[in-house]
Amino acid sequence: DIQMTQSPSSLSASVGDRVTITCRASQTIRSYLNWYQQRPGEAPNLLISAASTLQSGVPSRFSGGGFGTDFTLTISSLEAEDCATYYCQQSYGTPWTFGQGTRVEVK
Amino acid sequence: QVHLVQSGAEVKRPGASVRVSCKTSGYTFTAYYIHWVRQAPGQGPEWMGRINPNSGATTYSPSFQGRVTLTRDTSNRTAYMEVGNLRSADTAVYFCAREGDAMVVPWIAYWGQGTLITVSS
């Protein structure tokens, strides 16, 4: 299985801060990397596909980057509504695997 | 619009089996893979497997191979996930989900509301 490792596991930041979450794959996954946001009691919601493609309706303050084994999700200016857990997920090979998540708290 | 509606919560004894249904609408059922993902309390999502609704072909995670069966009923636009030999560690919310319109990199675009399966003696 391809292991996905996210860091940090949690963070606390203020409104307006720039936040970056990293995700590392245990082997190359090219750009087969997606990012999801999950709020408590809800299903995950796709933010970014193929490492850097912002999904329709997702605010432009979210961006993704990376290729191969190292990826990032950046929130350029944190807003209160961004309080959630964020997961990376690879679809390069089966079984699909998710990172362990990064919990973002807004101070 | 696309909808995936799952069956309701269940409580099962250890060793029992459970089947969760996922009724779809709003798109061509046979055109997109259906995936099953579970999430234990306080944990991240865990991919269980997928089914091609057109052919019925399945791919399972090795973690669930032999204990999970994915099927579909094309006439009713419904996918099913059955887990056997349940244990307490299987207590989780189980989601069905549909792939998006990916040209190259597949992703999950739509999710069911989730079904809580509780395994307890």
Side-chain angles (χ1 to χ4, degrees), chain B residues 1-73:
Chain B
Q1 50 282 55
V2 175
H3 290 292
L4 289 78
V5 179
Q6 299 181 223
S7 49
E10 301 211 41
V11 179
K12 294 291 184 180
R13 301 289 193 197
S17 298
V18 67
R19 189 174 83 155
V20 179
S21 65
C22 173
K23 186 165 180 62
T24 71
S25 61
Y27 72 97
T28 302
F29 177 67
T30 52
Y32 298 90
Y33 280 98
I34 293 287
H35 297 252
W36 290 86
V37 175
R38 79 175 186 182
Q39 192 165 25
Q43 303 299 309
E46 182 178 19
W47 187 83
M48 302 176 69
R50 69 183 180 196
I51 185 166
N52 179 330
N54 186 43
S55 66
T58 53
T59 303
Y60 296 101
S61 167
S63 299
F64 297 96
Q65 185 84 43
R67 209 161 64 89
V68 170
T69 304
L70 304 182
T71 56
R72 91 291 189 220
D73 178 349

Side-chain angles (χ1 to χ4, degrees), chain A residues 32 34 36 38 44 46 91 96, chain B residues 35 39 47 104 106-108 111:
Chain A
Y32 286 68
N34 305 309
Y36 300 85
Q38 187 177 32
L46 181 72
S91 56
W96 287 13
Chain B
H35 297 252
Q39 192 165 25
W47 187 83
V104 177
W107 69 80
I108 292 175
W111 299 74

Side-chain angles (χ1 to χ4, degrees), chain A:
Chain A
D1 298 6
I2 299 172
Q3 305 302 316
M4 306 301 292
T5 304
Q6 286 181 236
S7 62
S9 56
S10 65
L11 64 89
S12 180
S14 300
V15 171
D17 284 353
R18 183 181 182 87
V19 168
T20 298
I21 299 168
T22 64
C23 177
R24 174 164 289 176
S26 59
Q27 66 179 73
T28 183
I29 57 170
R30 298 170 61 186
S31 62
Y32 286 68
L33 189 284
N34 305 309
W35 288 98
Y36 300 85
Q37 176 192 64
Q38 187 177 32
R39 296 190 175 98
E42 298 181 2
N45 179 52
L46 181 72
L47 298 175
I48 289 170
S49 63
S52 61
T53 301
L54 194 68
Q55 294 303 293
S56 175
V58 175
S60 59
R61 63 181 179 274
F62 290 93
S63 64
F67 184 88
T69 60
D70 294 303
F71 302 87
T72 58
L73 172 69
T74 298
I75 308 172
S76 60
S77 180
L78 191 68
E79 297 195 6
E81 66 183 28
D82 300 334
C83 180
T85 302
Y86 295 83
Y87 296 97
C88 61
Q89 174 257 321
Q90 66 81 20
S91 56
Y92 183 75
T94 58
W96 287 13
T97 46
F98 291 81
Q100 80 279 16
T102 296
R103 185 173 179 178
V104 174
E105 175 191 283
V106 181
K107 292 177 185 174

